[in-house]
């Protein structure tokens, strides 16, 4: 895994945006895997700014998001659909038909999981998957203990994840208990992975990722087995980490 050290959140976001802009300019029909959460927000802001100022086009780009809350329709302001439209999609020129997120309201969720996996395959797979990491090592919504073989599936959210994500809701009671997420096997099939890590709250997770065992009890550890991973992490996240 290649590590790029950033000074702080803003610097990490700038490096990540430049990285993605370069990928889109080199391959305008790129298939991007995208993430939600606080970590990629600064990156998305910079992609929008670059689109406005330099006209980098997303007309041919296809996107697949990692996850969605079960029971939330795209109209729900706390859905990941809404998050992605508010923070990126409606501010760039990507056609809505090129945007994909798992549906949290599909009548048959098992079928939705299967279909999502197939749609990614049909697009030729994900070229670059952007990832954040939960402080318990979750990627997407793959919580500790998830099989590394799992493809898109329904998960029960860990209480720590519900608590961490409660900041986006008025009340923790509104945070769903279940989500639909790309599996670890789905993520690992991406040709390339860009992981962003920022802040002291991710320092322990960063240590485990770099120094710990590759084990299902810490989902992000699987990234050590992927041949093309770039991590952009800031000083706080990297503090005391033995970068090998
Ligand atoms: C959320 C998302 C993940 C995200 C992670 C970290 O639960 N499902 O995709 O990477 O938690 O979130 P944050 O970037 O806000 O720390």
């Amino acid at each position: 895994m290649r590590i790029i050290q950033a000074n702080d959140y803003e610097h990490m976001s700038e490096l990540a945006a430049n990285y993605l802009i370069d990928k889109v300019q080199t391959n305008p029909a790129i298939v991007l895997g995208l993430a939600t959460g606080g970590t990629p927000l600064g990156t998305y802001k910079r992609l929008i700014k670059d689109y406005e100022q330099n006209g980098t086009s997303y007309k041919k780009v296809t996107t697949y998001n990692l996850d969605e809350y079960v029971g939330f329709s795209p109209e729900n302001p706390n859905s990941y659909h809404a998050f992605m439209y508010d923070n990126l999609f409606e501010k760039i020129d990507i056609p809505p038909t090129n945007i994909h997120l798992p549906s949290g309201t599909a009548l048959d969720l098992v079928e939705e999981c299967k279909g999502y996996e197939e749609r990614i395959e049909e697009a030729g797979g994900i070229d670059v998957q952007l990832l954040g990491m939960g402080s318990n090592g979750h990627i997407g919504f793959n919580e500790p203990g998830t099989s590394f073989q799992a493809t898109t599936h329904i998960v029960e959210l860990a209480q720590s994840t519900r608590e961490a994500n409660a900041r986006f809701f008025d009340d923790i009671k509104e945070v769903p208990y279940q989500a639909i997420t790309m599996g670890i096997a789905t993520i690992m099939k991406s040709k390339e992975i860009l992981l962003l890590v920022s802040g002291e709250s991710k320092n322990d997770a960063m240590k485990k990722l770099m120094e710990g065992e590759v084990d299902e009890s810490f989902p992000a550890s699987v990234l050590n087995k992927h041949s093309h991973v770039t991590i952009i992490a800031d000083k706080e996240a990297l503090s005391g980490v033995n970068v090998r």
Side-chain angles (χ1 to χ4, degrees):
M1 298 194 292
R2 173 171 162 241
I3 299 220
I4 299 174
Q5 304 194 32
N7 298 328
D8 54 19
Y9 178 81
E10 296 304 328
H11 188 213
M12 176 197 76
S13 304
E14 186 187 328
L15 294 173
N18 291 345
Y19 193 97
L20 292 172
I21 290 162
D22 178 59
K23 295 282 171 191
V24 172
Q25 289 178 346
T26 308
N27 176 10
I30 195 166
V31 180
L32 292 177
L34 296 178
T36 54
T39 309
L41 272 180
T43 305
Y44 294 156
K45 275 203 184 104
R46 282 164 175 82
L47 295 185
I48 294 164
K49 201 168 157 211
D50 164 75
Y51 165 73
E52 289 168 353
Q53 294 182 344
N54 307 317
T56 302
S57 178
Y58 295 81
K59 276 195 179 133
K60 294 185 188 157
V61 172
T62 302
T63 64
Y64 286 87
N65 259 79
L66 284 166
D67 43 21
E68 179 58 285
Y69 289 117
V70 166
F72 279 15
S73 70
E75 292 73 37
N76 185 317
N78 281 315
S79 69
Y80 282 168
H81 278 77
F83 179 99
M84 289 306 301
Y85 274 85
D86 290 349
N87 293 300
L88 183 65
F89 296 148
E90 68 185 24
K91 295 173 176 146
I92 56 174
D93 63 348
I94 186 164
T97 45
N98 292 10
I99 296 168
H100 305 84
L101 287 95
S103 165
T105 52
L107 287 178
D108 186 338
L109 286 168
V110 173
E111 198 51 43
E112 173 62 12
C113 293
K114 214 173 131 227
Y116 198 64
E117 205 67 35
E118 284 165 7
R119 292 195 284 280
I120 296 173
E121 293 281 330
E122 280 160 19
I126 290 167
D127 292 311
V128 180
Q129 175 67 56
L130 179 65
L131 285 183
M133 172 169 66
S135 42
N136 64 0
H138 75 245
I139 48 176
F141 266 134
N142 293 283
E143 298 284 15
T146 306
S147 163
F148 285 168
Q149 310 308 321
T151 53
T152 301
H153 64 292
I154 306 295
V155 286
E156 303 294 323
L157 299 180
Q159 186 55 17
S160 60
T161 300
R162 292 187 65 249
E163 281 163 14
N165 288 0
R167 69 190 192 279
F168 294 111
F169 294 76
D170 291 333
D171 193 303
I172 189 163
K173 289 194 202 105
E174 293 171 21
V175 184
Y177 287 86
Q178 286 187 319
I180 177 167
T181 183
M182 277 188 203
I184 291 181
T186 324
I187 294 170
M188 288 295 278
K189 270 189 245 162
S190 311
K191 288 158 205 145
E192 187 178 337
I193 292 173
L194 177 62
L195 171 69
L196 306 184
V197 194
S198 168
E200 207 190 334
S201 65
K202 302 288 171 72
N203 184 238
D204 280 346
M206 195 65 211
K207 279 185 188 148
K208 277 195 190 151
L209 174 63
M210 298 311 296
E211 299 166 14
E213 300 289 304
V214 175
D215 190 85
E216 289 175 355
S217 62
F218 191 76
S221 66
V222 75
L223 300 177
N224 284 288
K225 289 178 153 184
H226 193 285
S227 60
H228 196 167
V229 175
T230 302
I231 302 174
I232 307 181
D234 67 13
K235 275 188 188 146
E236 284 188 356
L238 284 170
S239 168
V241 177
N242 185 6
V243 177
R244 58 191 168 205

